[in-house]
Amino acid sequence: MPALISRRPQRALAVTALVVVAVLGGGIWLVQSGQSAAAPDVSIVRASRGDVVVSVGGVGRIVTGGGASVIELPASGGTTTSGSAAGSSSSAPADAVFAHVPGHVDRLLVKAGQHVSAGQPLARLDDDGALAAAVKQARFDFETARIELGQKLHNDPQKGPPPTAAELAAAREAVTSARADLAQTAGRAHTADVTAARADVRRAQADLQTLLGGTPAARKRALALAQGRVTVAQKHLERVLTPGTPTDISAAQAEVKKAESDLAVLQKPPATPLPEDVAAAQYAVTVAQADLAAAQAASPPDPTAVNTAQLELDKALAALAALKPPLAQEVASAQAAVDAARTKLAALQGGGDPADVTAARQDLAAARAEVRTLRAGPSGLGRAAARGAVTSARAKLVQLQGSAAAVAARSAVSKAVADLAALEARGGPASASDIALARLKYQAAAARLAAARLDLRYLTVRAPSAGTVNALLTAPGAPVDGTTAIVSVTNLSRLAVRVDLSEFDVARVKSGLKATVSVDALGGKAFPGRVVFTALAGTDKDGVVTFPVTVSLKGVHGPRPGMNASVRIIVAQRHDVVEVPIDAVSRDEDGATVAVVGSDGKSSTRAVKLGLANNKSVEVVKGLRAGERIAVEAASSGPEAD
């Protein structure tokens, strides 16, 4: 019994020891198992050379090369092109061809699916002849402006018709005659009167010398000459004092009134003619000139028709000249005519010019004094009289050279010169400002004619470029205007993809970047593209802002408008650089490091300088060579690349 009691404690101890050992073993196993599970799997890869490419993109839809799927058009006052009610907006395809002029569709010249070339007619419009009438009116305005410019450059109609050769010859002859009369009166050109007056002076001086110391025979001859001069002086005084006849005075008065009336008409401020009146007068001149040219060009020419046309042209030119203000030469000529007429009338009414009367009386007195002196013989009084005769003869010479008749002759010369200048001014070119204005009218008329002809050509709607007729957007008889789409012509060789990018991605995109377009409907086939448009403003939809970007596709076959496509735009890339997986790089405050595995299988940490990176790999600029092995967590690494 005691032996049995002693064995029980031993068994309890053994069981307790086994339990403790089991617990300790299980704990150790659990700890080791936990440590083994927490330790990550590590794979070894090699740093390699390759290209690091960074791209952005998304999913878009293929459209035509215009870059937009539709164009929104404002609604007109009536029904829009798509039939929507007034006040709404309509839309047309981006490749739609529009009408340029109002009217209605006469007929369509193409069918859907037909291939057309650039400039090929697509439809014909009808505007009931409105544009043809506009071209006709523009051509008439252009011809009128051209004729007006030509007239301004050569002979302005407002200055009257050009003078004939006979008129110019007569005017020049009048100037020559007036100058000859002036020369005869003033003595500058006609020397007969001046020579006679100078001879009288010399004779008076000789008489004085004779009286002072001459012989009886010389005094006798001087006395005879002096008596003859008395007779001549008496007749001259009578002729000067005799007034003109009533007929001459009446004619002179009428001539003064007519000259004053002509001057008043020219000096009266003319009423400014209306532009319509001037245009009508110019048009009448143009028509008359055309009729005269046609009459002269007839074979054989009809003298009666030519004379009638010339008469109509003269009447039209006179009517046009009546609208113009008088020329300065015409006013000067009229003033000279008034002065000459008044001088002539004064001479007829007053019995001669006062200066002429005084001179004639002096001549008579001197001649009588000379006779008395010669009869009385030499004496102090006779010598004084002889000296007076000399003085009188000299005064006559001076008076002859500057008489009132000379003033009238000068007025006649001025009038003749003014008449010639006015005649020569007729038919001359217009002023520089008038020519410039006429040239502007001509250029404006030419521009209007070109625009009218262009609008007339727009009645035929043509294809702007080669392509395929995708749809007919109107029907014959439908009204059209500048916002009406006629047909849709699609160029399938010039397509584009429109994709919306986030504000972060679009900040890195610019025109000209290369892109890759994958079309889902073609089994993901990829096509090269290039960015051609990036929107400057984003579109907010449900709080998400996106920016439309257009990628062009040129010369591709297979994709069609409306297909979905994936777009990747290359924003940065590095060629033939050392690259490692992005997960192989550790970053901290000191920089980037990688775990380099040596030939003995042990790893060491090495600092590296990184470059361009994408979501899979990163460029190592410094600190690592191609071919070196690095440790990468197995969860994000591939198989070992030896």
Side-chain angles (χ1 to χ4, degrees):
M1 191 67 173
L4 182 61
I5 295 173
S6 62
R7 289 191 188 101
R8 289 180 177 175
Q10 292 178 351
R11 292 178 180 175
L13 289 173
V15 172
T16 302
L18 290 173
V19 171
V20 171
V21 171
V23 171
L24 290 175
I28 293 172
W29 178 81
L30 289 174
V31 171
Q32 292 178 348
S33 298
Q35 290 178 349
S36 177
D41 293 334
V42 177
S43 60
I44 305 300
V45 298
R46 289 184 182 274
S48 61
R49 283 195 168 274
D51 298 338
V52 178
V53 179
V54 179
S55 63
V56 297
V59 177
R61 179 168 295 180
I62 298 177
V63 297
T64 55
S69 58
V70 295
I71 297 176
E72 295 294 331
L73 300 176
S76 59
T79 305
T80 61
T81 56
S82 61
S84 57
S88 63
S89 64
S90 60
S91 61
D95 50 11
V97 181
F98 292 86
H100 292 280
V101 294
H104 60 271
V105 179
D106 183 37
R107 55 179 175 150
L108 296 173
L109 305 178
V110 293
K111 298 179 180 180
Q114 178 180 344
H115 179 78
V116 295
S117 57
Q120 180 175 339
L122 303 177
R124 298 195 186 279
L125 309 180
D126 187 3
D127 66 342
D128 299 325
L131 291 178
V135 170
K136 185 176 181 181
Q137 180 63 40
R139 186 182 296 111
F140 174 78
D141 294 341
F142 172 75
E143 291 297 330
T144 302
R146 183 181 62 81
I147 294 175
E148 179 181 353
L149 177 59
Q151 290 174 338
K152 297 288 185 183
L153 291 172
H154 297 91
N155 44 66
D156 188 4
Q158 293 188 0
K159 292 186 176 181
T164 63
E167 289 177 324
L168 289 174
R172 294 189 180 101
E173 181 63 27
V175 172
T176 303
S177 177
R179 286 174 175 169
D181 292 341
L182 175 61
Q184 182 179 3
T185 303
R188 180 176 297 275
H190 195 280
T191 60
D193 293 340
V194 177
T195 302
R198 287 173 178 167
D200 291 341
V201 172
R202 289 194 296 269
R203 187 163 43 251
Q205 291 174 342
D207 292 342
L208 177 61
Q209 295 297 327
T210 301
L211 193 62
L212 292 175
T215 63
R219 286 196 299 273
K220 184 178 180 179
R221 289 193 300 271
L223 179 61
L225 291 173
Q227 288 176 343
R229 284 197 296 273
V230 168
T231 303
V232 173
Q234 182 68 41
K235 292 181 179 180
H236 182 261
L237 179 60
E238 292 176 356
R239 181 172 56 83
V240 170
L241 293 175
T242 301
T245 64
T247 302
D248 294 338
I249 294 175
S250 299
Q253 290 175 341
E255 186 176 353
V256 170
K257 291 181 180 180
K258 181 179 183 303
E260 290 176 344
S261 176
D262 293 341
L263 179 60
V265 170
L266 292 175
Q267 290 178 337
K268 180 181 179 181
T272 303
L274 296 176
E276 295 81 0
D277 296 336
V278 176
Q282 289 176 342
Y283 178 69
V285 171
T286 303
V287 173
Q289 289 175 339
D291 293 342
L292 177 58
Q296 293 174 341
S299 181
D302 186 0
T304 303
V306 172
N307 293 335
T308 302
Q310 183 64 52
L311 179 60
E312 292 296 331
L313 177 59
D314 294 340
K315 289 170 60 179
L317 290 172
L320 181 61
L323 298 177
K324 69 180 183 67
L327 299 175
Q329 296 90 338
E330 295 175 337
V331 177
S333 176
Q335 184 65 55
V338 171
D339 296 339
R342 287 175 177 173
T343 302
K344 182 179 179 181
L345 177 60
L348 291 173
Q349 288 178 336
D353 188 91
D356 293 340
V357 174
T358 301
R361 286 174 176 169
Q362 289 177 352
D363 291 343
L364 180 59
R368 288 175 177 174
E370 183 180 359
V371 172
R372 289 193 300 269
T373 301
L374 291 174
R375 285 178 178 174
S379 65
L381 184 60
R383 287 190 292 270
R387 291 188 179 94
V390 174
T391 302
S392 177
R394 288 174 176 171
K396 180 181 178 180
L397 177 60
V398 174
Q399 185 271 337
L400 183 62
Q401 291 177 337
S403 63
V407 175
R410 290 190 183 95
S411 299
V413 171
S414 299
K415 179 180 182 304
V417 171
D419 290 341
L420 178 60
L423 195 63
E424 291 176 341
R426 277 173 39 190
S431 63
S433 58
D434 289 341
I435 292 176
L437 180 60
R439 184 171 284 110
L440 287 176
K441 291 181 179 179
Y442 171 78
Q443 294 172 351
R448 289 194 298 270
L449 177 59
R453 287 173 174 171
L454 181 62
D455 289 342
L456 185 62
R457 290 197 296 268
Y458 281 149
L459 288 177
T460 299
V461 181
R462 300 180 181 274
S465 60
T468 302
V469 177
N470 195 26
L472 304 178
L473 305 177
T474 187
V480 296
D481 55 21
T483 62
T484 305
I486 304 298
V487 298
S488 172
V489 178
T490 303
N491 188 351
L492 298 179
S493 64
R494 294 179 59 89
L495 301 177
V497 181
R498 178 173 176 175
V499 60
D500 294 332
L501 300 181
S502 68
E503 55 185 306
F504 301 102
D505 290 343
V506 80
R508 309 175 68 181
V509 175
K510 61 182 180 180
S511 296
L513 292 179
K514 295 181 179 180
T516 301
V517 179
S518 301
V519 182
D520 299 339
L522 301 179
K525 185 177 180 180
F527 299 92
R530 189 175 296 273
V531 177
V532 294
F533 173 75
T534 302
L536 299 178
T539 302
D540 189 352
K541 184 176 182 180
D542 298 332
V544 178
V545 179
T546 58
F547 290 78
V549 175
T550 303
V551 177
S552 67
L553 296 172
K554 294 183 180 180
V556 298
H557 300 282
R560 296 184 180 182
M563 289 183 176
N564 293 324
S566 298
V567 180
R568 302 303 302 175
I569 301 173
I570 300 173
V571 297
Q573 57 182 340
R574 297 287 188 275
H575 297 289
D576 193 24
V577 296
V578 177
E579 61 171 339
V580 297
I582 192 71
D583 294 335
V585 179
S586 300
R587 293 179 175 86
D588 54 22
E589 297 179 353
D590 297 330
T593 59
V594 295
V596 180
V597 179
S599 57
D600 56 358
K602 296 181 179 181
S603 63
S604 61
T605 302
R606 184 186 299 177
V608 293
K609 182 180 179 181
L610 303 179
L612 185 66
N614 54 31
N615 57 355
K616 292 184 178 180
S617 59
V618 60
E619 174 191 6
V620 179
V621 178
K622 185 177 181 181
L624 192 65
R625 298 188 306 275
E628 291 188 280
R629 299 191 303 167
I630 56 175
V632 183
E633 293 184 3
S636 57
S637 64
E640 181 178 355
D642 292 331

